Amino acid sequence: MASVTLEVEVPSKFPADRVFKVFSDFDNIAPKVNPQVFKSIETVEGNGDVGTIKIFTFGDAVPFTSGKYKVDALDVSNHSYSYSFIEGDNLFGILDSINHHVKVVPSSDGGSVFKQTVVYNCKGDEKPSEEILKKEKELYENTYKAIEAYAVAHPETY
């Protein structure tokens, strides 16, 4: 089975624990800061731990409408989180799943680096186009930056 890997790295002036805390509230923040991409995110099973199932409803800025996602791993002490999209038209009809591995790594200046590895697991030989991958990478980077800006504007919460 073929796969394609996309690497996203966004530096932050904030420490890793704060960045991870903000990212952990993605379900609430993303629809507020990027509603044209994330209309809603609903937990349909579980409490956020491993095995939790969520339904993403996407907005008009992306060429798909929904995706079902499962939490694969969560390690708060190491600021890492893994999840997979396992159903939905965000799999473009050519993917079995999309695995996301997020890790927030402390940097020497007291800040951190948000790292996201995205693995597109293809059903057959057909892979997402370079154009789709470029748009996805920009989407991940821009969403991260918008979430960080939201946290800066709400210091009492984050």
Side-chain angles (χ1 to χ4, degrees):
M1 181 169 68
S3 67
V4 178
T5 301
L6 184 67
E7 299 282 349
V8 178
E9 285 195 15
V10 184
S12 174
K13 63 183 180 184
F14 297 107
D17 57 345
R18 184 169 178 202
V19 171
F20 191 76
K21 180 179 180 187
V22 172
F23 185 79
S24 297
D25 202 21
F26 185 92
D27 298 7
N28 295 316
I29 300 173
K32 292 176 184 169
V33 299
N34 207 346
Q36 62 275 27
V37 174
F38 304 100
K39 268 190 188 168
S40 67
I41 302 168
E42 176 189 1
T43 298
V44 292
E45 186 180 311
N47 61 1
D49 290 337
V50 173
T52 295
I53 304 286
K54 300 181 183 192
I55 302 290
F56 276 54
T57 302
F58 297 103
D60 297 335
V62 291
F64 38 82
T65 59
S66 67
K68 184 187 238 182
Y69 128 152
K70 184 177 93 173
V71 177
D72 297 321
L74 175 61
D75 185 343
V76 175
S77 61
N78 284 311
H79 310 113
S80 67
Y81 183 71
S82 298
Y83 60 96
S84 299
F85 278 101
I86 53 174
E87 286 178 26
D89 61 350
N90 66 322
L91 299 177
F92 302 108
I94 62 168
L95 301 171
D96 278 329
S97 62
I98 305 171
N99 305 117
H100 294 255
H101 307 283
V102 172
K103 184 156 179 64
V104 184
V105 181
S107 52
S108 59
D109 63 2
S112 59
V113 180
F114 176 87
K115 295 184 176 191
Q116 185 169 6
T117 302
V118 185
V119 180
Y120 300 83
N121 299 300
C122 307
K123 287 181 181 178
D125 294 332
E126 191 177 355
K127 298 178 180 178
S129 69
E130 286 301 317
E131 182 184 351
I132 286 174
L133 295 174
K134 182 175 184 262
K135 285 182 177 176
E136 292 258 304
K137 185 171 184 172
E138 287 172 3
L139 170 73
Y140 297 132
E141 290 169 348
N142 292 339
T143 299
Y144 173 79
K145 290 172 186 169
I147 288 173
E148 184 177 78
Y150 182 88
V152 170
H154 298 86
E156 69 286 349
T157 308
Y158 304 102

